[in-house]
Amino acid sequence: MTILKSYLNFLYNSKNEHGVHSPFVFSLLTNCFYDKKKYPEYGILKNYRNSLLLNKNTIQVTDFGAGSRVFKSNKRQISKIAATAGISSKRAELLFRIVNYFQPENILEIGTSLGLATSAMSLGNKNSKVITLEGCPNTINQCQWQLQKFNINNVDCVNTEFSSHLKTYNLQPTTYNLIYFDGNHSKKATLEYFELLLPTLTNDAVWIFDDIHWSKDMEEAWEIIKNHSKVKVTIDTFQWGIVFFRKEQEKEHFVIRT
Ligand SMILES: C[S@@+](CC[C@H](N)C(=O)[O-])C[C@H]1O[C@@H](n2cnc3c(N)ncnc32)[C@H](O)[C@@H]1O
């Protein structure tokens, strides 16, 4: 299916809070997804983005995974990376609200880039601990400076290759209440990270997968994730697949307009 067909399919099947009978999902939609309040943190996120968009310095980038369709050279301008590789403003605000709503204590991000999503999650719960993984050393250095510049202090930036990190890192004693998967958008990698992170699950865990309709491959990965025995509720927002594991919940899949 092309992305356009997938999108038309999404529009046909998607709904808003009307007709959603699950109290858990209804509350999430009305109090978080469709929350129209202008949070002061949106201003910080805007400034964080603008300062990157104005940064004409170049860095040598190490390419990883399937996410780098746009660039040919390895020398890239910070402003261009921010404009093409990062989360959009609208979605950064939604990510902020999701973190603000659930107040996860431990957050993991797979794919930091320049920290546009990292900063949104960090500000969503200033008491959380955010760990973010990025393979490119120059990109993550740049991100660390940017986070410091904005006094964002609850983030631990880890320069590592995802798969080797998740395989070797002792995950057992760690639990993550929210994981944002935003790097290496391939079926194989997505399912590998999904399996490797299962030992970190808590009942209230929220996992967000970016770009679930980006390719046929990713749509297949999303179907497999939905059908996994541990997965209870899923929400497809077209851009994101959001997964909940709450044992008390009936298995149910929602397709929701944001
Ligand atoms: C789409 S970008 C992340 C965007 C970021 N979350 C944001 O919203 O600004 C994906 C990042 O993951 C990194 N990446 C991709 N595959 C990787 C891998 N296998 N190991 C480590 N880093 C990887 C890339 O270098 C890139 O910076």
Side-chain angles (χ1 to χ4, degrees):
M1 212 184 314
T2 63
I3 197 141
L4 177 66
K5 261 197 193 160
S6 296
Y7 189 60
L8 292 175
N9 202 25
F10 169 83
L11 286 181
Y12 184 76
N13 290 307
S14 62
K15 48 184 167 184
N16 53 22
E17 75 274 28
H18 302 295
V20 169
H21 299 297
S22 156
F24 171 72
V25 177
F26 183 81
S27 169
L28 173 65
L29 299 187
T30 50
N31 298 315
C32 171
F33 276 40
Y34 304 137
D35 175 6
K36 295 277 184 283
K37 193 174 150 209
K38 296 277 173 243
Y39 289 89
E41 286 85 353
Y42 292 173
I44 305 175
L45 295 180
K46 197 171 163 205
N47 292 341
Y48 187 104
R49 179 181 301 271
N50 284 344
S51 112
L52 290 171
L53 292 174
L54 290 170
N55 189 338
K56 301 296 171 202
N57 294 334
T58 54
I59 56 169
Q60 199 69 27
V61 165
T62 314
D63 259 332
F64 281 94
S68 306
R69 279 179 181 173
V70 184
F71 297 102
K72 300 205 167 49
S73 149
N74 269 346
K75 215 174 162 210
R76 294 177 203 161
Q77 212 168 48
I78 302 292
S79 60
K80 296 245 166 69
I81 302 175
T84 53
I87 192 170
S88 72
S89 306
K90 192 173 157 250
R91 267 188 290 275
E93 290 177 2
L94 178 56
L95 191 57
F96 163 85
R97 291 199 300 279
I98 291 175
V99 171
N100 189 44
Y101 179 78
F102 287 111
Q103 291 289 298
E105 227 175 291
N106 291 308
I107 299 175
L108 176 69
E109 178 181 35
I110 308 218
T112 319
S113 191
L114 297 168
L116 287 164
T118 324
S119 49
M121 293 191 285
S122 154
L123 293 173
N125 178 9
K126 294 183 188 85
N127 295 320
S128 67
K129 181 166 190 268
V130 183
I131 295 177
T132 182
L133 312 181
E134 169 59 54
C136 171
N138 292 337
T139 305
I140 202 154
N141 273 346
Q142 196 67 44
C143 175
Q144 275 171 313
W145 290 330
Q146 186 73 6
L147 291 169
Q148 270 171 24
K149 192 167 148 186
F150 283 82
N151 282 322
I152 295 174
N153 301 316
N154 57 339
V155 179
D156 189 1
C157 294
V158 185
N159 180 209
T160 186
E161 196 284 320
F162 303 148
S163 177
S164 53
H165 182 86
L166 298 179
K167 274 184 198 147
T168 53
Y169 190 67
N170 188 2
L171 292 164
Q172 229 51 351
T174 315
T175 53
Y176 293 112
N177 313 93
L178 188 140
I179 305 181
Y180 181 49
F181 296 79
D182 187 16
N184 199 354
H185 296 169
S186 74
K187 175 181 174 183
K188 187 167 170 278
T190 302
L191 295 176
E192 186 191 18
Y193 307 155
F194 178 91
E195 290 292 339
L196 286 170
L197 284 160
L198 283 176
T200 73
L201 266 188
T202 57
N203 194 52
D204 66 350
V206 183
W207 288 13
I208 304 172
F209 292 88
D210 189 56
D211 265 342
I212 51 167
H213 294 286
W214 189 64
S215 62
K216 185 170 168 281
D217 212 38
M218 282 301 285
E219 289 196 326
E220 285 170 12
W222 177 237
E223 282 309 308
I224 292 170
I225 290 169
K226 278 163 63 184
N227 289 323
H228 192 280
S229 59
K230 285 216 158 71
V231 169
K232 286 300 181 82
V233 170
T234 69
I235 301 179
D236 173 349
T237 71
F238 194 71
Q239 177 75 27
W240 286 342
I242 308 179
V243 177
F244 301 94
F245 301 86
R246 294 155 50 91
K247 289 199 177 76
E248 61 275 33
Q249 219 62 52
E250 289 293 315
K251 197 167 178 92
E252 203 170 357
H253 306 301
F254 297 86
V255 182
I256 299 291
R257 260 168 265 149
T258 55

